[in-house]
Amino acid sequence: MRRNLRLEYLLVRAGSLVRAKAPTAASSGVDQNELRSLTKAHYEQFPFIAGGDERVALWHRRLSTVLPSSAIRQSKVLDVGCGSGDVAQSLAERGARVVAVDLTRLAVQRTRKSRDIRSVQCDALALPFRDDAFDHSLALGVLHHTPDCHAGLAEMVRVTRDTGTIIIGLYSKWTPYHFVYLATGRLRAHVPGERLHNAPPWVMALTRAFVTFQIRQRLDDRQLVNVLADQFWTPRASFHTPREIRRWSKRFGLVQVGRRWHPFYMNDFVFRVDKSRVR
């Protein structure tokens, strides 16, 4: 059965290479390597927000119901796209042996400040780990920024052991955010991200209100600029329906055990790995 999963993974990777030059939501005619380079440069310039202890506590509360401390203590947990390291830190504080990976050097450096976390710079579509290396894995708000979200999930399945837990957070299709993202395409094409530092006060006020509602935390202007860059100027953003993700999960032998809807923009999916069900 493991050979079948590996074959499925290789087929997904081969298919993603064929589709690499297809137009995307944020770019057209850009292949995987170019898109990877653009994404890396973007998040080196506009790193994801660092919320400190308050943000770590938020992730502790959000994840403790689906990954209780009793399930992760001394377990190997992979955090794909670690960003500021807040998710990884929340897991490490509850006893998990965390490996945090990210495409950017800056994110890895930030996460390495914690002695309890091992950080690795790598591509989410080519994780440098053996099959079944982790007990659980997470990618929260990450895979939709990769050239091929489906291939990214395939990699997570490959490195997560049978009966483990996989949690992914993905932008949701046909939401208010999706429509705003589509409507602002022309703006992104003509206004470089660097000009976000001079955004009008009303734009910053709207962004602050939305972010405060979502994360229950007030950010300074510098971090708000990074939020705008992440939400609207990212080189790649894909949007997915729950039905689409269910099709993927069945293909990879994943059993959906939970879903959390974030109003206006995304879903978190919780899966139990059952590789005997791989199709």
Side-chain angles (χ1 to χ4, degrees), residues 6 9 13 124-127 151-160:
R6 186 64 179 177
Y9 164 73
R13 291 299 304 276
L125 304 189
L127 296 171
L153 179 58
E155 269 292 72
M156 293 181 68
V157 174
R158 181 183 67 80
V159 302
T160 306

Side-chain angles (χ1 to χ4, degrees), residues 188-203:
R188 286 191 297 276
H190 291 88
V191 178
E194 289 77 7
R195 292 184 60 182
L196 290 173
H197 294 286
N198 301 315
W202 66 269
V203 172

